[in-house]
Amino acid sequence: MSDRFETGMKVRRSVLGDDHVDRAEAAKSPIDEPFQTLITETAWGNVWASDGISTRERSMLTLALLAALGNFEEIPMHIRATARTGASKQDVLEAFQHVAIYAGVPRANQALKLAKQTYAEMEADQA
């Protein structure tokens, strides 16, 4: 394993949580293992590991970009990550308002729907 992979795995675990990463690692197969390594080294070991901006800011940017590009499947995962990145519900709302203006109301609306569902699940899990 490369140093960047190890750094990426550490950052990935700190942002997404051990349970999520353990499930993802257990689900790896020979088909997607090279892709998972790429993501761990580059997204987590390079971009998320950079100290250029905070993890809170990265979380907000990631959610806004996912919504703006219509990549809704990963929004719940990154909403859950806000519990560890420090991005508040208000931060997420602000990010999605930017999406509404710059990328379209329907995309922001879908992202907000997913955020509401995910926050409700998170609150239920804590109860």
Side-chain angles (χ1 to χ4, degrees), residues 13-94:
R13 287 183 178 282
S14 75
V15 171
L16 299 178
D18 288 331
D19 289 343
H20 174 84
V21 175
D22 289 344
R23 281 190 308 274
E25 287 294 295
K28 273 194 315 192
S29 73
I31 293 172
D32 67 341
E33 186 168 5
F35 176 77
Q36 292 296 324
T37 299
L38 173 73
I39 295 304
T40 300
E41 289 180 347
T42 57
W44 298 107
N46 191 14
V47 175
W48 276 86
S50 169
D51 60 0
I53 60 175
S54 69
T55 54
R56 174 184 161 266
E57 293 165 316
R58 283 186 203 291
S59 195
M60 293 166 62
L61 283 168
T62 299
L63 283 162
L65 287 165
L66 288 170
L69 294 170
N71 294 318
F72 300 115
E73 293 165 357
E74 291 202 1
I75 286 177
M77 174 181 70
H78 281 282
I79 290 291
R80 287 184 184 90
T82 63
R84 288 175 287 285
T85 65
S88 68
K89 288 181 184 179
Q90 185 63 38
D91 291 335
V92 172
L93 172 62
E94 294 290 335

Side-chain angles (χ1 to χ4, degrees), residues 84-115:
R84 288 175 287 285
T85 65
S88 68
K89 288 181 184 179
Q90 185 63 38
D91 291 335
V92 172
L93 172 62
E94 294 290 335
F96 290 158
Q97 286 180 338
H98 268 69
V99 170
I101 298 304
Y102 292 100
V105 170
R107 288 189 179 193
N109 190 43
Q110 179 64 20
L112 282 167
K113 176 183 173 184
L114 292 168

